[in-house]
Each structure stands twice: as C-alpha cells, then as structure tokens.
Amino acid sequence: MQDKQAEVTRLMECLDMSKDRFSCLEWNKAYFSIDPEEYFSSVVSELNEVLDVIAAGCTSEWLYQRSLQESFSGRIISLLRLITETEIRTDEFYKQSIPTNLNVLQFCWKAVRSLDAEATTTQMRALTYALGIPLRVEVVDKSSTDRGVLVKRLDFFHESDLEKGPLRLTRSYLSSSTAPIPLKQGSYDADLLSSDGTPMLTLLCRRGHCDILYRK
C-alpha cells in the first residue's frame, strides 16, 4: 500500500459499505462500551489514519511498533470480527456453511466473536469478500502419503470480479509436486494480484494454526 493512496480509498469505500450493513443489524449493546455504530465509526477512523500513514510511505519499524500497542491492535481485531460477522449475517450464501444446530447469530457468537475460535474458510471468505481482497488458502491435510503431504488450495475472489466461473476455485495437490495454476485476473487493482493473476495474499493453514506465505 505504500505510495498507493488509491488503495486506501478503495479499502475505505469497502469499510463504508460494511458500516451501512452493520447499521441495519440489531446488536447487543452490552457487547460494546459505547453505542455500536459510534464504536464502529471510531475504530474505522483510527484505522484510516494508519492507512494514510502507510500510503505516505511509513517505515516497517513504525508499523511494527504501532501494532505492538495492545489497545490499537485489539480494537482493529475487534473491527475485523465485526466486519466478518456483518458479512455473514447479511448474505444468504453463508447459511449453507453453518451447522444445522446453529442459527446465523449463534454461529457468529461461537465462531466469529469468540477469541478462542479457529478461523475456517467461512470466516476467511467473509472477511476477504467484505474488504475486496483476493485470498489464496493452502490447507494442509492431516493425512500424508509416501509422496508428500496432501494440500488443498482454495482461491477466493469476489463475485463481481469474475466474469464467469466459481467463486471459490479448489484444487488438491501433493506438496512434493506442486504447480501454480494461473487464475483469470478480474477488476482488482494490480497490486492485489501477482503477475500471473493469483492472489498476493496467501495463507498456509494447518489444524489450529495459520501462517502467511511470502513469495520468493
């Protein structure tokens, strides 16, 4: 995002849309220290200030030190959870991913707001869709073969950024013989996709743990 004010503008537009949808939902005020909409707006403003500094060319050390401030990082994480919950509660698509013994609100309480909940592809899809950021997830299967560890690749693109095709492209492969599959580039800013059209953001997910994968 450095020197990319346009990306800050795009991201803030996504947050504005999330705020509108957030405002249409009923929230338990006991969960917030102040009015829910006021809380959402205040954290968005705080995030916007940091994004502007990043776009202006801050150092990685400044960003690292800022992230160590517990009050700041905690509020940002809570905002991301609220954005995720808002997406899930306002889009019928996610109902198919929710266990039959839970309704949407119960699922969000248990699997989104809870600090000890593990993020699954449902929450990952919701957050990346709400922010308009394409995501690649490499899910490591707990089983393995003599050829290597089995990995399932999931690619998330927003519906409006694909002319045709599924919203989630899935491919399984063995880690000992991987090969990238170029994906058709949509209308995302070029900085969010690599030169072959695949998401720049990649997560490696094992049971109970996720890492960020960086390209060489």
Side-chain angles (χ1 to χ4, degrees), residues 35 123 133 149 171:
D35 177 77
Q123 296 96 310
I133 298 175
V149 177
R171 175 176 183 259

Side-chain angles (χ1 to χ4, degrees), residues 53-175:
V53 174
I54 295 173
C58 74
T59 63
S60 57
E61 178 63 22
W62 180 89
L63 185 59
Y64 173 66
Q65 292 299 327
R66 190 76 169 90
S67 68
L68 292 181
Q69 298 177 15
E70 188 173 348
S71 60
F72 169 74
S73 57
R75 282 164 60 84
I76 298 302
I77 290 174
S78 71
L79 173 65
L80 296 178
R81 290 179 184 275
L82 291 174
I83 292 172
T84 302
E85 179 173 345
T86 299
E87 171 72 14
I88 292 174
R89 290 174 62 185
T90 56
D91 192 328
E92 292 291 323
F93 172 86
Y94 297 98
K95 286 187 176 181
Q96 61 184 315
S97 304
I98 296 175
T100 55
N101 63 323
L102 299 174
N103 60 38
V104 176
L105 189 56
Q106 290 171 331
F107 173 81
C108 289
W109 269 100
K110 182 177 181 180
V112 179
R113 294 194 201 182
S114 178
L115 297 179
D116 60 352
E118 294 181 13
T120 66
T121 54
T122 299
Q123 296 96 310
M124 292 177 187
R125 179 193 190 277
L127 182 58
T128 54
Y129 271 42
L131 298 180
I133 298 175
L135 171 68
R136 167 165 287 185
V137 182
E138 308 280 12
V139 183
V140 179
D141 193 288
K142 61 182 179 180
S143 60
S144 62
T145 70
D146 55 359
R147 294 175 57 196
V149 177
L150 186 64
V151 179
K152 177 184 291 185
R153 171 176 293 167
L154 304 174
D155 287 307
F156 295 97
F157 287 84
H158 195 282
E159 184 176 8
S160 62
D161 293 283
L162 285 176
E163 293 179 5
K164 294 182 179 180
L167 301 185
R168 188 176 75 181
L169 307 178
T170 305
R171 175 176 183 259
S172 294
Y173 60 87
L174 292 169
S175 60

Side-chain angles (χ1 to χ4, degrees), residues 39-58:
Y39 176 82
F40 193 98
S41 296
S42 67
V43 183
V44 168
S45 296
E46 191 173 357
L47 177 60
N48 190 20
E49 292 177 2
V50 173
L51 294 179
D52 284 336
V53 174
I54 295 173
C58 74

